[in-house]
Amino acid sequence: MPPDSIDPLQALQAANRAVRPAAASATGTLLIAGATGALGQELLRRLAGSHRYAHARVLAREPIRDGLRGVETYLSPDLPISQWPLTSADTAVIAFDSPRLYHDRERALWVPQPADLPELSRWLRASGVRTLAIVQPHDQGRLPEALKRGLASLDEQAVVANGFDRVILVRSARKPLNAKFANPAERLAAWMLSIVRLMVPSSEQPVRASKVAELVDVSLRIAPPGVHVAAPEMVWEASQGQQMQAVAERWLGLAEKDITATLP
């Protein structure tokens, strides 16, 4: 069965069947908003299965009945986010990936929209979250250079202003979403744009969801305090070969600090 067709419940069950050698050292609570699609599934599988956290929760619209041993659900009320009761968490991940409607349990999960980001981040901070990772896919070749390594919107600036200890923004390239065309002219224009996309540098090509999740996992482990923005090119570089941690350390400025510490 292809990885993208695995049911989220199966991923949770596999994680829970694993032996927990480090369970005694697990601390804190992880909360995932947007555990849907290939990306959300990989984040859930990798982070909930790492057993670094004493508790893992996913935001859901309705109860998920079974298979969640060790992973809890937080039911989001049918209310504006500002009126949600507070929960308790130390680390949160927000992923924007549409649910695959042929997965029944993905329909039960709560799916954040980009417009939810300011209010959701305020709610997370009020719930005690100090480390926030946001995974925001962008159509390949469509993100302006000026925004790749900085805050791309007022919404992202509002997130940072909430006072998190660490904010990690991962900008991952994705394939353009399928579009419906109203007339032949629109179809022709889309075809011409698709030719231009073929000229997108390899460093801006989409990265497998499993590699993006691995980068988020590494970043949550080693990122120092502050705001860290991963450009699509950096995400692509980190996904190549077996040197992800080394690339992440260079991106996060850790390699430079290590070198400086060794100088006389």
Side-chain angles (χ1 to χ4, degrees):
M1 183 181 295
D4 287 356
S5 66
I6 298 175
D7 190 288
L9 179 61
Q10 294 175 334
L12 288 170
Q13 289 172 329
N16 285 320
R17 283 196 297 268
V19 178
R20 292 189 170 214
S25 62
T27 60
T29 297
L30 169 72
L31 180 65
I32 300 179
T36 56
L39 176 58
Q41 171 196 298
E42 286 294 339
L43 287 165
L44 179 61
R45 183 191 65 80
R46 187 170 191 95
L47 296 175
S50 70
H51 307 310
R52 292 202 318 274
Y53 302 97
H55 304 280
R57 296 188 182 126
V58 293
L59 283 175
R61 296 186 297 107
E62 58 189 69
I64 300 177
R65 291 173 298 177
D66 55 6
L68 293 178
R69 181 170 57 85
V71 178
E72 308 162 8
T73 54
Y74 177 87
L75 295 180
S76 56
D78 190 16
L79 295 169
I81 297 173
S82 60
Q83 298 178 33
W84 287 4
L86 297 181
T87 184
S88 176
D90 307 280
T91 301
V93 176
I94 303 173
F96 295 99
D97 201 2
S98 300
R100 296 161 296 186
L101 296 182
Y102 54 86
H103 285 301
D104 289 340
R105 289 174 180 83
E106 287 200 10
R107 291 199 292 266
L109 297 175
W110 187 77
V111 182
Q113 302 300 321
D116 295 326
L117 187 56
E119 199 62 52
L120 179 59
S121 66
R122 281 192 288 271
W123 178 78
L124 290 169
R125 185 66 193 89
S127 295
V129 171
R130 305 203 66 86
T131 294
L132 175 62
I134 302 169
V135 189
Q136 176 66 76
H138 294 272
D139 288 349
Q140 62 188 72
R142 300 291 295 274
L143 187 64
E145 286 292 330
L147 302 182
K148 288 181 179 179
R149 296 168 181 82
L151 300 179
S153 66
L154 292 175
D155 287 349
E156 290 183 357
Q157 294 178 27
V159 170
V160 172
N162 286 322
F164 295 97
D165 291 348
R166 301 187 300 169
V167 176
I168 301 166
L169 293 122
V170 177
R171 307 199 190 286
S172 174
R174 68 180 175 194
K175 293 180 180 179
L177 301 176
N178 293 330
K180 296 181 179 180
F181 307 111
N183 53 62
E186 289 185 1
R187 189 176 297 106
L188 175 61
W191 175 76
M192 295 177 67
L193 286 173
S194 69
I195 295 177
V196 175
R197 290 191 191 103
L198 293 176
M199 298 183 288
V200 172
S202 59
S203 60
E204 294 188 28
Q205 296 293 331
V207 174
R208 293 201 313 273
S210 60
K211 287 294 185 179
V212 176
E214 183 181 353
L215 177 61
V216 173
D217 188 18
V218 170
S219 303
L220 289 173
R221 284 194 289 106
I222 69 174
V227 179
H228 310 282
V229 182
E233 295 91 340
M234 201 290 298
V235 178
W236 181 87
E237 182 185 359
S239 71
Q240 306 302 300
Q242 304 296 323
Q243 300 183 359
M244 179 169 291
Q245 177 144 342
V247 175
E249 287 175 353
R250 187 170 70 249
W251 158 52
L252 295 167
L254 299 176
E256 290 82 353
K257 291 180 181 178
D258 291 342
I259 293 172
T260 303
T262 62
L263 295 177

